[in-house]
Amino acid sequence: MSREKILAAVKKNQFTHAPLPDLEILSTLTATGDNLVHQYTSVASAGGSFVYEVKDLEAIKTILHKEFKPGVKIISGIQELDAYTYAGNVLQESSHSFADAELTILQSNLGVAENGALWLTESQMNIRVLPFISQHLAVVISQEALVPTMAQAYAQIGNADYGYGAFISGPSKTADIEQSLVIGAHGPRSLSVFILT
Amino acid sequence: MKVALFVPCYVDQFYPKAAIATLELLEKLGVDVHYPKNQTCCGQPMANSGYEHLTTGCNNLFIDNFSGYDYIVCPSGSCTLHIKEHLHSPEKEDQAVDIRKRVYELTEFLVDVLNVKELKASFPYKVGLHQSCHGLRGLRISQMSELVAPAFSKPAQLLDMVQGLELVPLTRQDDCCGFGGTFCVAEEAVSSKMGKDRVDDHIEHGAQYITSADLSCLMHMEGILRRQKSDVKVIHMAEILNHYSHE
Amino acid sequence: MSNVSGKSHSKLAGIFNQDEPRVDWHDETLWWVRQKRDIQAHKLPEWELLRETASQIKNNVLSNLSAYLEQFEANAINNGIIVHWAADAAEHNQIVHRLLQERGINRMVKSKSMLTEECHLNEYLKEQGIDVIDSDLGERIVQLAGEPPSHIVLPCIHKKKEEIGDIFHEHLGSAKGESDPKILTETARQHLREVFLTRRAALTGVNFAIAETGEFVICTNEGNADMGAHLAEIHIASMGIEKIIPERKHLGVFLRLLTRSATGQPITTYSSHFKRPQSGTEIHIVIVDNGRSIQLDREDFRNSLKCIRCGACMNTCPVYRKSGGHSYHTAVAGPIGSILAPNLDMKKYADLPFASTLCGSCSNVCPVKIDIHDQLYKWRQVIVKEGYSPKAKTMAMKAMAFTLSSPTLYRSGGKVGRLVFKYAPFAVNNGLNPWYKHREMPKAPKESFGEWYSKRKEGKQ
């Protein structure tokens, strides 16, 4: 059996134990971040995201109402944003049925200032394909949920259980054609981030 | 301090002026310099081509010539690096290990051992500094652009002591010139293109001379410059540091 | 240095260099990516410590790989993932084919996997009647062009937008002469969206496989891995045995290094962590050896298995920039490819370790500190020892070694050489001398340093 053959070959050929390094020193050197909102906004915007600082969900509704035509399919993972289809109510629909979603709004509880990334697990996405298949994506995050770097992010995630999770740091993009950056490859054409301050 | 001068084979045969300048410069700085006359080559051309196993004769000859000195100084980064990393001898390994600790490229010897702070030299020209890869990334005589680390440059530090010399900026400060030993003929197309691009960078920035701690790079760039019938000349660092305006 | 198939880096590089403006364009483009990497790296004062930490983590992985592989497998199975093992490329391809056949699937969407390039999966499946569509834009472009990718991260970096426009016009119906990247990307988006929505099977690569949790991570900017995987009934993930990292928290090191090194972005748009299949679907992982356990046994070369496939070495390598990925005639090109490929087929890839000046730039941009340029030097010794060096070269080297170990032979040889240069320059200044193609030969001085020194010494006495 290949499994046994491979494992035996690896076991025979591996060499003297090299210990794991200490990550603590590294953590102390990473930015502690004064003004994470400012850093997050600057990096995320440079990556093509639209970043808004808002007081409450009403402010978000106002902005979305301006940016998106009435009548388009908008799915929200945030129950309080009740002007839209609540994702929790359509869990039984097939992934394919969301192909005509114009906008998806989700909540994140962890954002990373050094790279503009937002952590979303399956429970926040509700349906895995939703933040990818939708033409546009919006994410709401509270300013307290921002951390300086990925080191702190994984410390916060810890050994949490999820079936699927993703760091999303901007709209889908590619520079495959002559290194010319194009926003909107196969995923959403835009990412709007609403930071609740 | 007893210092032996190690002159790379191609410098000995084709660019003796650089070796002469090295010798004169060291003597001016009060160093007792010996030239072991039976030296030949460090063995790098064979070793880099995959024939390290043929270099025992060269290695033993090197050890015989260069044992018993406090320092061995060489006007070539690549030869110095090769000795430092690859000098071995089945019969004389202790001596090899000792020599590897004592071998220095010229600019690092001047800065780190002799602590040279001023030079009576003048070279009133625009000069482009080519950072040879082995000296740069192997011997660390300057900081390489790849690393996130404080900048420094021993060659630039020395050139700064030369009156009238203007160091020109370059677009790419440490791109390889493309000589690479037998690479220069085995991969002729890429080698020439790499050399041509380096030379163009210096010319674009107005260099009248291109200098380096390594004549192998300069030999390659000179070949291209002369083919282009350019007025730009190459000159080894030692010749600049040893240069007076009345000469 | 050439081989059985007649392909050699120097020959292919020579052809590439016939179009100098194109070489300049290719070189400038990749240098720009290297510069973007520098900008990002300099934003992190702890960058060098990050590299050292990542290097040590990977050293630990390689020293303990069998245990980590078993731990990963056990945890993945516990998560509901089905794990397969493939000793070589052929077995990997057969496993993938079987999984599709069993489910009556004959069309598949793929996101980027250099491992599957190494295994020539697409060709194999095509022969079995399976249609595979690459969904990464760069990969789709080279697929339509009938070429392999030239760079592991930027697959069609060798193609100009006009050429891509022509390919899309021919295959995807875009307007003739259209070369605007925005419009071409939109064309690909529409075309591939239809593919995602209709494929029951999706195959992806794996960037990192976490032993501690049995999950794996895929990094993309386009979102194509996720679009494919989440809409498919079966998600197959192909990984090399060396893709393991011990713990989830180690991602906090690797995800900070990977994309900064690769493209000069702080992170890819998507870093997707797959732990359990969606209900009603399957996830299969194929763990592949294909020569990696042999490389692990080579003390001088095992460090090459630390590679996280960022491509930084290619972007910085002056030889890669000025010869193009296809000159390496192997799936993974450039400096890292040149130390991996000889392990797979020493005869076929004997030329690659010599396609380098040993400048060392690669080793110093490598996020996991692989000593690439030292390994290139060491591979040269192995290749010569194994007999893959041309006889003429061996003869010349033996002659050189003989001459250089004798002071008298060296001195007389040098004198003769200089005389030839002086009195019979046509002997060396001709078309048979490769140096002479683009360079003048050095001028011969009247005496060597050794001769000058002797005279000076005599003068003193």
Side-chain angles (χ1 to χ4, degrees):
Chain A
M1 280 300 301
S2 289
R3 176 187 185 277
E4 280 64 42
K5 205 167 82 177
I6 294 169
L7 284 171
V10 169
K11 193 161 191 184
K12 177 174 78 70
N13 295 340
Q14 68 199 16
F15 48 95
T16 46
H17 179 72
L20 277 172
D22 170 22
L23 293 192
E24 287 313 309
I25 300 170
L26 197 52
S27 300
T28 62
L29 289 177
T30 57
T32 49
D34 323 302
N35 210 340
L36 293 175
V37 173
H38 175 79
Q39 195 194 357
Y40 179 90
T41 304
S42 148
V43 176
S45 307
S49 301
F50 302 123
V51 185
Y52 306 89
E53 279 178 57
V54 292
K55 269 199 176 44
D56 50 31
L57 295 179
E58 277 307 310
I60 296 172
K61 262 197 231 174
T62 310
I63 293 169
L64 290 179
H65 187 75
K66 209 167 30 156
E67 297 296 327
F68 291 91
K69 296 196 284 278
V72 296
K73 188 166 175 179
I74 299 180
I75 318 275
S76 164
I78 302 168
Q79 207 161 10
E80 293 85 342
L81 286 173
D82 53 12
Y84 317 110
T85 307
Y86 175 48
N89 291 339
V90 291
L91 288 176
Q92 74 290 353
E93 309 273 334
S94 78
S95 294
H96 289 66
S97 70
F98 297 101
D100 59 348
E102 184 68 13
L103 170 69
T104 292
I105 311 162
L106 301 173
Q107 171 152 339
S108 167
N109 296 326
L110 177 58
V112 187
E114 74 163 330
N115 54 27
L118 300 160
W119 174 246
L120 290 159
T121 62
E122 188 166 24
S123 54
Q124 290 150 327
M125 295 176 191
N126 291 275
I127 299 113
R128 288 188 191 186
V129 83
L130 208 43
F132 297 95
I133 203 169
S134 186
Q135 295 292 336
H136 299 274
L137 179 64
V139 178
V140 180
I141 184 166
S142 133
Q143 81 174 40
E144 286 81 38
L146 293 176
V147 298
T149 78
M150 297 298 277
Q152 291 84 5
Y154 277 102
Q156 199 158 310
I157 293 171
N159 56 6
D161 184 47
Y162 47 76
Y164 171 79
F167 280 102
I168 299 180
S169 69
S172 131
K173 58 174 81 110
T174 178
D176 271 339
I177 299 176
E178 282 208 38
Q179 280 299 290
S180 188
L181 182 66
V182 178
I183 304 282
H186 306 302
R189 299 172 186 274
S190 76
L191 171 64
S192 302
V193 183
F194 296 98
I195 305 179
L196 286 168
T197 53
Chain B
M1 176 177 15
K2 225 174 87 178
V3 170
L5 182 62
F6 158 32
V7 179
C9 54
Y10 64 98
V11 176
D12 177 36
Q13 295 297 327
F14 289 101
Y15 296 94
K17 287 204 323 206
I20 294 168
T22 304
L23 175 65
E24 290 182 348
L25 178 62
L26 289 171
E27 288 177 338
K28 258 182 234 166
L29 292 167
V31 179
D32 174 26
V33 186
H34 299 242
Y35 172 70
K37 67 177 170 61
N38 284 331
Q39 61 182 279
T40 58
C41 171
C42 66
Q44 190 183 191
M46 282 127 11
N48 278 4
S49 302
Y51 294 85
E52 193 178 39
H53 61 282
L54 294 179
T55 58
T56 319
C58 260
N59 287 346
N60 285 333
L61 186 59
F62 194 93
I63 292 169
D64 289 341
N65 273 289
F66 289 99
S67 289
Y69 292 95
D70 297 307
Y71 299 98
I72 300 145
V73 180
C74 174
S76 159
S78 64
C79 305
T80 305
L81 182 68
H82 180 78
I83 294 295
K84 247 197 163 90
E85 292 190 337
H86 297 290
L87 184 70
H88 288 291
S89 168
E91 307 95 41
K92 313 177 191 189
E93 189 59 19
D94 286 343
Q95 286 172 272
V97 169
D98 185 64
I99 285 174
R100 275 160 41 203
K101 285 198 286 254
R102 299 179 186 280
V103 64
Y104 279 79
E105 179 274 331
L106 177 65
T107 59
E108 60 176 357
F109 185 73
L110 294 173
V111 172
D112 294 339
V113 181
L114 294 187
N115 279 304
V116 171
K117 294 282 189 266
E118 58 169 12
L119 285 168
K120 286 190 176 58
S122 94
F123 196 76
Y125 300 101
K126 287 195 166 147
V127 175
L129 173 61
H130 173 72
Q131 306 203 74
S132 308
C133 300
H134 292 138
L136 173 69
R137 297 188 189 85
L139 298 174
R140 312 258 167 145
I141 63 176
S142 302
Q143 187 57 270
M144 63 184 101
S145 62
E146 291 83 357
L147 298 183
V148 176
F152 70 91
S153 168
K154 295 174 194 176
Q157 203 177 314
L158 291 166
L159 291 173
D160 203 41
M161 301 172 195
V162 178
Q163 210 182 33
L165 187 150
E166 184 189 331
L167 213 51
V168 304
L170 296 171
T171 302
R172 296 196 195 173
Q173 50 168 314
D174 51 18
D175 219 4
C176 176
C177 72
F179 174 70
T182 49
F183 179 90
C184 74
V185 288
E187 290 263 1
E188 186 281 326
V190 179
S191 172
S192 315
K193 176 62 179 156
M194 285 167 70
K196 182 170 179 289
D197 287 350
R198 286 291 78 235
V199 154
D200 284 349
D201 196 352
H202 288 263
I203 292 175
E204 266 158 36
H205 288 89
Q208 294 166 289
Y209 284 88
I210 300 177
T211 192
S212 168
D214 251 289
L215 268 163
S216 45
C217 309
L218 292 175
M219 177 169 71
H220 167 66
M221 287 191 279
E222 181 184 53
I224 290 166
L225 285 164
R226 283 177 47 221
R227 176 60 58 90
Q228 292 178 355
K229 302 215 193 312
S230 167
D231 290 330
V232 178
K233 296 196 192 25
V234 303
I235 184 167
H236 188 269
M237 287 261 326
E239 292 182 70
I240 292 180
L241 301 177
N242 192 45
H243 194 268
Y244 290 117
S245 56
H246 66 260
E247 282 181 3
Chain C
M1 194 150 262
S2 72
N3 52 56
V4 166
S5 65
K7 278 191 198 150
S8 75
H9 181 274
S10 65
K11 213 179 278 178
L12 295 166
I15 296 168
F16 190 83
N17 271 276
Q18 280 165 4
D19 185 347
E20 192 176 357
R22 199 179 179 103
V23 174
D24 288 337
W25 165 79
H26 188 261
D27 172 67
E28 292 287 347
T29 309
L30 284 161
W31 184 252
W32 168 227
V33 184
R34 153 78 207 271
Q35 287 179 291
K36 285 198 287 180
R37 169 253 174 214
D38 288 355
I39 291 169
Q40 276 300 322
H42 276 85
K43 287 194 168 134
L44 303 185
E46 71 270 32
W47 179 258
E48 297 302 331
L49 183 57
L50 267 173
R51 289 179 67 219
E52 178 60 31
T53 305
S55 170
Q56 288 181 27
I57 294 170
K58 278 289 182 176
N59 283 341
N60 168 266
V61 167
L62 293 178
S63 76
N64 207 22
L65 188 57
S66 61
Y68 282 131
L69 281 168
E70 289 184 274
Q71 185 189 12
F72 173 72
E73 179 194 43
N75 286 322
I77 289 172
N78 222 30
N79 294 334
I81 293 173
I82 298 161
V83 178
H84 310 262
W85 298 75
D88 55 27
E91 193 175 357
H92 164 270
N93 297 346
Q94 284 153 17
I95 290 169
V96 173
H97 181 221
R98 180 176 50 79
L99 289 172
L100 299 173
Q101 238 184 349
E102 281 170 355
R103 290 154 185 76
I105 296 173
N106 61 5
R107 303 191 303 176
M108 184 171 77
V109 65
K110 221 184 88 186
S111 78
K112 194 129 64 68
S113 161
M114 286 314 297
L115 174 61
T116 62
E117 285 295 329
E118 191 186 306
C119 296
H120 301 288
L121 176 70
N122 286 15
E123 289 99 309
Y124 175 83
L125 288 178
K126 190 173 180 188
E127 280 162 21
Q128 316 308 317
I130 311 267
D131 171 65
V132 179
I133 294 197
D134 273 304
S135 62
D136 174 281
L137 178 60
E139 289 275 337
R140 185 64 180 134
I141 290 166
V142 294
Q143 183 176 45
L144 290 171
E147 294 172 22
S150 67
H151 187 290
I152 64 177
V153 171
L154 318 165
C156 64
I157 193 81
H158 62 289
K159 285 220 163 316
K160 296 208 160 178
K161 56 186 193 287
E162 291 78 13
E163 290 156 9
I164 297 166
D166 290 341
I167 292 165
F168 275 23
H169 171 66
E170 189 187 333
H171 296 277
L172 303 183
S174 57
K176 188 170 170 67
E178 181 60 72
S179 67
D180 182 339
K182 282 197 177 65
I183 296 180
L184 294 175
T185 303
E186 182 68 31
T187 306
R189 179 192 176 92
Q190 297 304 330
H191 155 68
L192 284 161
R193 196 172 177 85
E194 197 268 334
V195 171
F196 292 128
L197 287 166
T198 54
R199 283 0 185 215
R200 297 167 53 206
L203 187 143
T204 69
V206 166
N207 287 91
F208 304 101
I210 323 294
E212 181 193 32
T213 58
E215 72 192 283
F216 60 95
V217 177
I218 306 175
C219 303
T220 71
N221 277 319
E222 297 176 32
N224 54 313
D226 302 274
M227 280 296 277
H230 300 325
L231 292 169
E233 294 163 26
I234 175 173
H235 169 190
I236 306 169
S238 301
M239 66 175 263
I241 54 174
E242 82 282 24
K243 288 306 182 78
I244 293 276
I245 64 177
E247 296 167 44
R248 190 188 270 174
K249 72 179 187 207
H250 293 136
L251 289 168
V253 175
F254 288 100
L255 290 181
R256 300 188 75 205
L257 285 165
L258 177 63
T259 319
R260 286 186 169 100
S261 303
T263 61
Q265 297 168 267
I267 196 169
T268 42
T269 306
Y270 306 104
S271 310
S272 304
H273 301 45
F274 291 82
K275 193 157 179 289
R276 283 192 293 274
Q278 292 181 104
S279 67
T281 70
E282 307 170 72
I283 295 181
H284 292 249
I285 290 180
V286 188
I287 301 179
V288 182
D289 182 351
N290 201 35
R292 287 152 174 75
S293 58
I294 297 173
Q295 187 83 319
L296 188 62
D297 195 30
R298 299 183 194 267
E299 191 180 338
D300 287 335
F301 308 114
R302 61 171 56 120
N303 274 336
S304 60
L305 294 173
K306 289 165 32 178
C307 179
I308 61 175
R309 301 289 194 269
C310 72
C313 59
M314 292 174 210
N315 303 336
T316 199
C317 177
V319 177
Y320 179 92
R321 283 186 267 113
K322 294 177 214 258
S323 64
H326 288 156
S327 295
Y328 295 77
H329 57 93
T330 179
V332 176
I336 185 66
S338 303
I339 61 175
L340 290 172
N343 174 56
L344 299 173
D345 187 332
M346 212 178 292
K347 191 172 186 182
K348 191 169 172 188
Y349 301 116
D351 58 323
L352 297 185
F354 293 87
S356 163
T357 58
L358 305 181
C359 81
S361 186
C362 50
S363 305
N364 289 287
V365 296
C366 178
V368 289
K369 289 186 146 180
I370 301 170
D371 52 335
I372 303 175
H373 74 291
D374 289 334
Q375 291 191 36
L376 286 167
Y377 174 88
K378 288 174 183 165
W379 267 120
R380 294 177 183 192
Q381 315 305 325
V382 172
I383 284 164
V384 166
K385 218 171 272 180
E386 294 294 317
Y388 295 114
S389 187
K391 273 207 165 55
K393 187 174 185 187
T394 303
M395 302 269 79
M397 288 294 152
K398 281 190 172 153
M400 198 191 267
F402 184 65
T403 308
L404 294 172
S405 23
S406 153
T408 25
L409 275 178
Y410 160 77
R411 282 195 287 262
S412 50
K415 195 158 189 172
V416 169
R418 277 180 284 117
L419 286 171
V420 168
F421 271 51
K422 190 170 181 191
Y423 294 111
F426 48 83
V428 283
N429 296 355
N430 59 59
L432 291 174
N433 177 4
W435 173 281
Y436 195 68
K437 196 165 177 191
H438 290 107
R439 293 165 281 216
E440 292 296 312
M441 297 293 285
K443 284 202 184 103
K446 62 171 168 31
E447 57 190 2
S448 68
F449 174 80
E451 287 161 0
W452 174 89
Y453 187 85
S454 297
K455 286 203 186 125
R456 188 182 90 151
K457 211 167 174 196
E458 282 157 28
K460 273 190 181 155
Q461 287 162 347

